[in-house]
Amino acid sequence: MLGHRHSSLWHMILAPTVWAVHFCVVYGWTAVQCARAGGPDAARTGILVATAVALVAIVVLGWKAWKQWDYLDDFDYVHDQPTTEHRREFLGHAGWLLAIVSAIGVGFNALPAIFIRSCL
């Protein structure tokens, strides 16, 4: 389904997808824990676990995108030719940048774990 890394846009958007899933899980988990179950301590624990899993996934995806970009090989950050190499490097470059933004977003999504004191 995902295809090759150099020809599929799915690899480029996997990190933002992890961020979106993390967002839904964190706020859904917090709502359920505060409404019915364990309270703020259980919510905080779930947020920290989900954040750790999401950050590990984003780091792995970012590393794969960095390797695909292959910047250190030729220090080329311009990918404007209609060739397979430029397409592959562009998708890797964009995937790497999206992984950075996604990691920052996951960090902001985890802020309730720091600030939650009660479920009122």
Side-chain angles (χ1 to χ4, degrees):
M1 178 181 138
L2 293 179
H4 297 290
R5 290 196 67 84
H6 69 275
S7 63
S8 174
L9 293 177
W10 286 108
H11 295 282
M12 184 178 72
I13 64 165
L14 281 175
T17 303
V18 170
W19 174 18
V21 169
H22 177 265
F23 180 85
C24 294
V25 166
V26 163
Y27 285 97
W29 176 260
T30 303
V32 168
Q33 292 304 311
C34 285
R36 300 193 177 223
D41 291 332
R44 187 177 298 114
T45 302
I47 292 169
L48 293 176
V49 168
T51 300
V53 169
L55 286 175
V56 166
I58 289 171
V59 165
V60 168
L61 292 168
W63 177 252
K64 287 183 178 184
W66 172 262
K67 297 297 280 183
Q68 180 180 342
W69 181 19
D70 200 21
Y71 178 70
L72 295 179
D73 181 41
D74 55 5
F75 295 101
D76 181 21
Y77 56 88
V78 177
H79 316 293
D80 58 354
Q81 300 298 318
T83 64
T84 302
E85 179 186 2
H86 280 246
R87 186 178 305 113
R88 177 185 56 83
E89 289 181 354
F90 170 78
L91 291 173
H93 188 181
W96 182 69
L97 293 173
L98 285 170
I100 291 171
V101 171
S102 298
I104 293 168
V106 165
F108 276 108
N109 288 350
L111 287 177
I114 297 171
F115 294 112
I116 189 171
R117 297 289 175 236
S118 69
C119 288
L120 294 177

